[in-house]
Amino acid sequence: MLLHGTNSDGQSGFGHLVDRFTDRRTVITPDYAGAGQSTIPDGPLSLDVLVSQVAAVIDDAGGGPVDLLGTSLGAVVSAATAAAHPEMIRRLILVAGWVSSDDARHRLVFETWKRLQALDPELSTRFGLSLALSPDFLAGLGPGQVGQLTARRFPAATDRRIDLGLRIDISGLLPKITAPTLVIGLSRDQLVPPYHARALHAAISGSRYEEIDSGHAVQVERPDELIRLARAFFHEQG
């Protein structure tokens, strides 16, 4: 199972990578809480809602255990799911996740993103892309490619998932994770810098840590490296 981040859905986040796993696995890329075809309850979005949606998908697929990979907010949801439903998770990969939203830099970035999303979604998109892609990668794109990215329509309720990103604290859940865990930080990540991933690694007993030389959108910038690490970890025995 592959879990997307705040401003994507299963298809836009992982659709181009699914066939990199299907030689050996059945791959599930669910949409949660307003993304894709997923429903979203009224009121502020909670992490518990996303965890319950992910658990329901796993149950519907046969109950697991599954190998679970999440990126960004998807990494937070994946960690919380593994803590709440350890019987459902065989192996866990957390990419560019974070433990708590109390960090001053995190709050500055996400509060700015939230205000831009409310005032001008196009500016919000441009702001998000400027942080999601590393400077070198973004500078190497042509005007047409940048135009395509900025014209992309993001899923409904993105504003509510951004707001949830300001209310995360999974520090009490991380000691409950029992699945073998690989934490991946992204060295050029300006949205969720790698010190957040290192904190996740430090808080999960027995976890491993790897770092990819990429911006936040690693599925776009360094997909081969992400797939290599994920396949090696998921296919380990024991």
Side-chain angles (χ1 to χ4, degrees), residues 180-204:
T181 301
L182 171 63
V183 179
I184 299 177
L186 307 172
S187 62
R188 296 173 182 261
D189 193 343
Q190 299 180 90
L191 186 62
V192 184
Y195 64 82
H196 286 290
R198 296 186 198 115
L200 267 177
H201 164 56
I204 301 174

Side-chain angles (χ1 to χ4, degrees), residues 118-141:
L119 293 170
D120 189 328
E122 182 182 352
L123 282 181
S124 174
T125 297
R126 290 175 175 273
F127 175 76
L129 283 172
S130 70
L131 294 175
L133 298 172
S134 66
D136 289 351
F137 185 86
L138 186 55
L141 296 178

Side-chain angles (χ1 to χ4, degrees), residues 12 29 34 42-43 53 57 72 78 84 96 105 118 120 127 132 137 152 154 159 164 166 170-171 180 197 199 211 224:
S12 63
T29 57
D42 294 332
Q53 289 184 332
V57 172
S72 195
S78 295
R105 184 191 182 279
D120 189 328
F127 175 76
F137 185 86
R152 174 185 161 203
F154 290 115
D159 57 336
L164 175 59
L166 283 162
I170 57 172
S171 55
E211 205 160 282
D224 292 344

